[in-house]
């Protein structure tokens, strides 16, 4: 619901539990006055009473501007910075008009939360007299307390201007103690949560790697110091973008400003008179019931309003797949692949994915990227021949590609050396022995699209894994003049989106999984196209506990690529119990990534109950609400969580590792959440079934085995009697 009080000049956007408010002051500046708990329908003016130092007459530099620009008083981090033809870098944005529209606004060329009949949009137009118009777009989604924001910036002057900054959103908080949570990491250790009180000054996470990268995710939470999983205030922010980003929290006497959007490094976008620039979307959720509720609202928002159909629907089954990577790496021939497919069939797996190494001359990571033609030495009958044989075994077929990459040793590079990003007269940096294609150029996107179409039209490929194994470097486009080089990073991302748009529109039933050297591009921009993203190259159950916990702060489990793999784990050497590995894979998209040809028939038979369990409860796992019961600690000793259906009729409960272990024979208990306390549930762990009231489960909890240790983990299914 969006209301405008014309007399008081107040905009109030409300969802069932939250409100967001802005007000234009007497001089036409748009001020941010509230984001938090739902305001009464009378929409009180939250700008009053003001702290003395926010009196605009005295301290205009400390005003909580909704979309701040530099040079005309605001001296904190700014959202937009135009450089006009006379060299001034300033804007003084004043209210011009607004409109309230049914449904959801759209952003040309950019992924965004989707159209929804129950959404409502607001556009406020601000104007700087020197020639910049800012359309601030807002949408409210009532079913999940989601508020999205974006902006369209237009040059209304008579000379070109350069955008030096173009953030997605800015949020000002009045002075109060706040803590910042971000998810950060490294390759094989992505998205580990870090929480710390805000310190005075600016704190920024971000990326100038061309992709979000392993180090930081484009998402953050501000919360009060007392906020826990189940109580306290939390403001969550997500960026719907897959390139360079900056997320800054700045604290000073005026309070805290949270700013998120495209990173200003090497960003300079020229707007000719009349031209516009759309900034990527940001999305916000506010919770008064702690981090758990915030996560559940984000999960619902992503599942219902971002993911692509048919995969968005929890009832749409996702195939249980086997991926060849950890089984074979680059060393295979057709016979070896078919042996693996046969073993997978015996375990009742649905789909066989051929990972890296299938195309001409690709025997290690040093060659052939860009030449998307099957290697006859490995696949004598090409992809169609292999696909048919896999289908004959009874499995669907899927394939790996890395469309943005080009090997210096490839036919594509020999033919089009200028298609790689490279700075003239400098050595081009190879990372993982490969360059990156200049996706800012439409003809490069067209060239790769033609190759992908040839592959996808050659045989029934049901699943495609789109990988991206390096950061950008040498970012310079041979196709743009010197003055436009500051556009390359963003144009690159637009090129990636364009190719994924073509792919998903031309092959609507193709299951696309994004991946970037593990989980280096795990963001809402990618999720708009692919309903699942490979979470990490680290498939160790213990490591996955914290990676998937951190990922789950924002993104639902149904988006997390997660596979059961062998022990000792290829990344960590750690040995974890099969049930722990199963639990972590079931938390996500559930697949396998190991050499099943080394399994005995008995071992293969041991996998099938889990696959059957996933088939039986997949819709619950994909569509239910997540409750985190025990979070993994720094030592990664254990975790427990549960997924409850919206109607609270059924639930799946997982407990992994040693953190919950009792001592001296004492049986610890796991107290559940999210259930209906006034009904009874049957509780089954696969061997025993008991009946227990929801009240007892949420007070006394489930008994854990006394010898609960690293080895046994527990998985329960609960159903209302
Ligand atoms: C990185 C991915 O994360 C892996 O799963 C695998 O596909 C390799 N790339 C292949 O090169």
């Amino acid at each position: 619901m969006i209301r405008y009080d014309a007399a008081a000049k107040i905009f109030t956007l409300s969802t069932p539990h939250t409100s967001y408010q802005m007000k234009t002051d007497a001089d036409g500046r748009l001020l941010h006055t509230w984001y938090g708990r739902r305001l009464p329908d009378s929409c009180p003016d939250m700008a009053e009473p003001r702290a003395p130092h926010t009196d605009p007459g005295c301290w205009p530099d400390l005003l909580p501007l909704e979309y701040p620009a530099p040079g005309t008083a605001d001296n904190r981090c700014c959202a937009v910075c135009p450089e006009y033809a006379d060299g001034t870098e300033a804007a003084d944005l004043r209210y011009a008009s607004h409109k309230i529209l049914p449904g959801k606004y759209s952003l040309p060329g950019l992924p965004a939360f989707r159209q929804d009949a129950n959404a409502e949009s607001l556009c406020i137009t601000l104007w700087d007299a020197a020639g910049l118009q800012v359309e601030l777009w807002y949408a409210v989604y009532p079913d999940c307390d989601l508020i999205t924001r974006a902006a369209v910036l237009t040059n209304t002057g008579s000379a070109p201007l350069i955008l030096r900054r173009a953030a997605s959103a800015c949020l000002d908080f009045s002075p109060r103690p706040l803590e910042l949570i971000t998810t950060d990491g490294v390759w094989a250790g992505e998205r580990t949560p870090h929480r710390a009180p805000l310190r005075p000054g600016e704190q920024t996470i971000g990326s100038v790697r061309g992709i979000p990268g392993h180090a930081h995710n484009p998402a953050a939470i501000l919360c009060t110091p007392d906020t826990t999983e189940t109580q306290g205030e939390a403001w969550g922010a997500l960026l719907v973008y897959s390139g360079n980003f900056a997320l800054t929290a700045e604290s000073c006497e005026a309070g805290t400003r949270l700013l998120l959007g495209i990173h200003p490094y090497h960003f300079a976008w020229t707007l000719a008179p009349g031209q516009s620039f759309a900034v990527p979307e940001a999305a916000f959720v506010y919770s008064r019931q702690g981090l758990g509720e915030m996560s559940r609202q984000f999960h619902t928002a992503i599942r219902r309003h971002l993911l692509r159909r048919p995969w968005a629907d929890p009832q749409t089954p996702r195939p249980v797949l086997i991926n060849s990577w950890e089984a074979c790496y680059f060393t295979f021939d057709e016979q070896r692949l078919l042996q693996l497919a046969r073993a997978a069939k015996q375990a009742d797996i649905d789909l066989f994915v051929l990972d890296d190494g299938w195309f001409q001359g690709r025997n290690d990571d040093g060659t052939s990227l860009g030449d998307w033609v099957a290697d006859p030495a490995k696949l004598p009958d090409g992809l169609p021949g292999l696909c048919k044989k896999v289908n004959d075994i009874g499995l669907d077929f899927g394939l790996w590609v890395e469309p943005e990459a080009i090997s210096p040793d490839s036919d594509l590079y020999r033919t089009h050396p200028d298609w790689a990003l490279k700075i003239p007269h400098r050595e081009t940096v190879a990372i993982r022995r490969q360059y990156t294609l200049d996706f800012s150029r439409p003809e490069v996107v067209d060239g790769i699209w033609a190759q992908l179409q040839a592959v996808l039209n050659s045989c029934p490929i049901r699943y495609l894994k789109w990988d991206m194994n390096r950061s950008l470097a040498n970012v310079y486009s041979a196709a743009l003049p010197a003055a436009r080089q500051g556009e390359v990073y963003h144009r690159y991302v637009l090129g990636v989106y364009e190719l994924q748009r073509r792919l998903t529109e031309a092959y609507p039933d193709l299951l696309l999984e994004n991946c970037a050297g593990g989980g280096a591009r795990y963001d809402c921009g990618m999720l708009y196209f692919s309903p699942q993203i490979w979470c990490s190259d680290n498939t160790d159950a213990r490591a996955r506990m914290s990676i998937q916990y951190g990922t789950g702060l924002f993104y639902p489990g149904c988006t997390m690529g997660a596979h059961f793999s062998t022990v000792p784990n290829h990344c960590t050497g750690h040995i974890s119990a099969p049930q722990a590995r199963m639990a972590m894979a079931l938390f996500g998209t559930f697949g396998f990534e190991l050499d099943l040809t080394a399994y005995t028939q008995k071992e293969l038979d041991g996998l099938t109950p889990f696959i059957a369990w996933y088939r039986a409860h997949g819709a619950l796992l994909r569509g239910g609400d997540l409750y985190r019961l025990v979070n993994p600690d720094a030592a990664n000793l254990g975790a427990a969580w549960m997924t409850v259906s919206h109607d609270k009729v059924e639930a799946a409960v997982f407990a992994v590792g040693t953190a919950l272990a009792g001592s001296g024979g004492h049986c610890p208990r796991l107290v559940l959440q999210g259930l209906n306390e006034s009904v009874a549930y049957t509780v089954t762990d696969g061997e025993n079934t008991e009946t227990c009231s929801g009240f007892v489960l949420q007070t006394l909890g489930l008994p854990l085995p006394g010898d609960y240790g690293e080895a046994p983990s527990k998985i329960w299914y609960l159903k209302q009697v």
Side-chain angles (χ1 to χ4, degrees):
M1 183 185 72
I2 300 175
R3 288 198 177 172
Y4 180 59
D5 177 341
K9 298 185 179 157
I10 291 174
F11 298 92
T12 308
L13 293 69
S14 290
T15 65
H17 306 102
T18 73
S19 289
Y20 186 110
Q21 196 183 74
M22 296 160 279
K23 173 179 184 166
T24 41
D25 72 7
D27 298 319
R29 296 185 194 92
L30 186 65
L31 306 181
H32 179 77
T33 55
W34 180 254
Y35 184 35
R37 66 182 288 191
R38 161 96 194 209
L39 300 175
D41 285 346
S42 57
C43 301
D45 180 351
M46 299 306 282
E48 302 294 346
R50 304 195 66 79
H53 71 258
T54 58
D55 175 359
C58 297
W59 305 103
D61 56 326
L62 297 179
L63 285 173
L65 293 174
E66 179 68 7
Y67 201 65
T72 55
D74 192 288
N75 291 320
R76 290 186 281 158
C77 54
C78 66
V80 62
C81 179
E83 181 187 326
Y84 290 111
D86 64 0
T88 52
E89 287 193 13
D92 188 2
L93 295 166
R94 305 289 172 118
Y95 171 86
S97 63
H98 76 271
K99 55 191 173 189
I100 297 172
L101 303 167
K104 167 74 199 302
Y105 62 82
S106 57
L107 286 174
L110 286 170
F113 281 82
R114 293 175 196 269
Q115 192 53 254
D116 182 79
N118 296 316
E120 206 180 359
S121 296
L122 165 69
C123 176
I124 304 176
T125 303
L126 308 178
W127 188 64
D128 177 53
L132 179 68
Q133 174 188 282
V134 174
E135 283 179 346
L136 293 178
W137 282 95
Y138 302 80
V140 293
Y141 289 83
D143 64 331
C144 50
D145 286 326
L146 184 78
I147 294 183
T148 64
R149 287 187 57 178
V152 177
L153 314 172
T154 302
N155 180 355
T156 53
S158 54
L161 65 78
I162 301 170
L163 292 173
R164 298 268 170 210
R165 279 171 192 260
S168 300
C170 174
L171 267 187
D172 270 10
F173 296 78
S174 57
R176 75 189 94 165
L178 288 172
E179 300 194 345
L180 176 68
I181 304 174
T182 56
T183 58
D184 320 280
V186 293
W187 173 78
E190 298 90 336
R191 291 177 300 286
T192 303
H194 292 94
R195 175 173 177 167
L198 283 181
R199 39 163 297 153
E202 285 185 23
Q203 296 163 60
T204 298
I205 59 147
S207 167
V208 294
R209 302 167 190 219
I211 56 175
H214 298 100
H216 304 289
N217 192 259
I221 302 160
L222 283 176
C223 61
T224 44
D226 61 344
T227 296
T228 64
E229 205 49 49
T230 51
Q231 63 183 39
E233 292 189 285
W235 293 261
L238 281 175
L239 201 57
V240 189
Y241 192 56
S242 314
N244 287 350
F245 75 97
L247 206 152
T248 299
E250 182 180 3
S251 286
C252 68
E253 71 271 43
T256 295
R257 174 168 286 179
L258 183 70
L259 189 76
L260 60 159
I262 294 177
H263 199 293
Y265 167 72
H266 208 58
F267 176 78
W269 194 278
T270 301
L271 286 182
Q275 281 184 340
S276 297
F277 179 83
V279 308
E281 184 166 81
F284 298 92
V285 159
Y286 164 78
S287 156
R288 288 180 81 197
Q289 290 163 298
L291 301 173
E293 182 64 11
M294 181 212 71
S295 297
R296 286 187 287 279
Q297 296 293 45
F298 269 138
H299 296 175
T300 304
I302 289 170
R303 276 195 308 254
R304 289 198 192 148
H305 303 302
L306 185 70
L307 298 187
R308 192 165 58 86
R309 300 211 162 270
W311 307 106
D313 185 350
Q315 298 297 335
T316 303
R318 304 262 185 107
V320 178
L321 64 83
I322 173 106
N323 181 294
S324 67
W325 182 240
E326 287 191 28
C328 309
Y329 296 104
F330 293 105
T331 311
F332 58 82
D333 56 17
E334 190 186 74
Q335 206 188 343
R336 171 99 180 91
L337 297 177
L338 293 175
Q339 280 169 352
L340 186 59
R342 275 186 215 102
K345 181 63 191 168
Q346 281 178 301
D348 204 20
I349 286 169
D350 299 313
L351 184 141
F352 177 86
V353 179
L354 176 53
D355 206 282
D356 199 351
W358 61 268
F359 44 101
Q360 59 180 30
R362 177 79 167 173
N363 294 316
D364 56 36
D365 61 12
T367 71
S368 312
L369 292 163
D371 300 342
W372 300 109
V373 177
D375 186 345
K378 289 179 181 167
L379 305 177
D381 299 322
L383 286 176
L386 175 66
C387 178
K388 168 140 194 350
K389 289 168 203 170
V390 168
N391 290 166
D392 288 346
I393 290 169
L395 283 96
D396 282 333
F397 183 63
L399 194 66
W400 175 99
V401 285
E402 191 173 353
E404 299 152 75
I406 180 166
S407 300
D409 181 6
S410 66
D411 289 346
L412 186 68
Y413 189 71
R414 283 181 278 275
T415 316
H416 295 292
D418 62 314
W419 278 19
L421 286 171
K422 35 168 135 158
I423 299 177
H425 316 303
R426 282 181 198 262
E427 192 183 333
T428 306
V429 179
I431 302 177
R432 208 198 189 208
R433 300 202 275 165
Q434 65 199 56
Y435 300 153
T436 309
L437 283 165
D438 180 359
F439 262 44
S440 74
R441 294 173 65 170
E443 66 273 31
V444 175
V445 173
D446 290 346
I448 296 299
W449 174 228
Q451 287 205 53
L452 286 185
Q453 279 180 298
V455 167
L456 290 167
N457 292 341
S458 71
C459 54
I461 294 172
R462 303 276 180 232
Y463 161 104
L464 193 72
K465 178 176 172 187
W466 175 313
D467 204 348
M468 199 299 184
N469 277 302
R470 54 159 287 180
S471 307
L472 306 194
N474 304 95
V475 175
Y476 183 96
S477 174
L480 285 173
R484 309 291 294 256
Q485 292 299 323
E487 300 177 14
V488 180
Y489 274 112
H490 183 59
R491 287 189 186 276
Y492 178 92
V493 180
L494 295 181
V496 172
Y497 289 155
E498 170 59 17
L499 191 51
Q500 298 220 346
R501 183 191 66 75
R502 289 184 197 177
L503 196 58
T504 49
E505 283 181 12
Y507 304 94
D509 295 328
L510 179 74
L511 175 56
L512 180 65
E513 176 158 343
N514 271 298
C515 169
R521 197 161 59 183
Y522 206 119
D523 60 74
C524 286
M526 290 285 105
L527 286 175
Y528 178 84
F529 298 101
S530 73
Q532 54 196 60
I533 298 180
W534 184 230
C535 215
S536 176
D537 279 343
N538 191 338
T539 54
D540 174 17
R542 196 168 60 174
R544 279 281 180 143
M545 270 188 265
S546 51
I547 294 171
Q548 295 183 190
Y549 160 63
T551 307
L553 281 175
F554 302 98
Y555 309 103
C558 67
T559 67
M560 296 181 205
H563 296 169
F564 178 91
S565 67
T566 196
V567 288
N569 183 267
H570 287 193
C571 254
T572 62
H574 179 244
I575 295 177
S576 46
Q579 201 150 14
R581 286 178 276 149
M582 283 295 180
M584 296 321 299
L586 286 164
F587 187 4
T589 57
F590 196 57
F592 291 79
E593 183 145 351
L594 71 167
D595 182 6
L596 286 182
T597 63
Y599 266 43
T600 62
Q601 185 61 51
K602 194 167 167 232
E603 285 170 323
L604 290 173
D605 291 344
L607 303 178
T608 53
F610 291 97
I611 295 172
W613 195 91
Y614 176 74
R615 291 213 181 94
H617 307 308
L620 163 67
L621 298 170
R622 286 185 292 272
D625 292 323
L626 175 72
Y627 291 83
R628 292 180 289 258
L629 305 176
V630 178
N631 293 334
D633 63 6
N636 265 347
L637 291 175
W641 66 96
M642 62 189 288
T643 299
V644 185
S645 62
H646 290 308
D647 57 10
K648 301 186 183 294
V649 165
E650 53 175 352
V653 183
F654 301 84
V656 177
T658 57
L660 313 172
S663 54
H666 168 68
C667 292
R669 300 183 81 97
L670 186 63
V671 177
L672 306 188
Q673 295 176 30
L675 300 173
N676 182 345
E677 294 198 347
S678 49
V679 301
Y681 291 86
T682 54
V683 181
T684 173
D685 64 2
E687 287 172 8
N688 304 306
T689 301
E690 287 176 51
T691 301
C692 206
S693 83
F695 179 83
V696 168
L697 291 166
Q698 300 209 140
T699 47
L700 281 174
L702 279 173
L704 291 162
D707 62 348
Y708 193 69
E710 176 80 34
S713 297
K714 289 286 280 187
I715 301 174
W716 295 268
Y717 173 70
L718 277 60
K719 181 91 192 262
Q720 193 177 311
V721 178

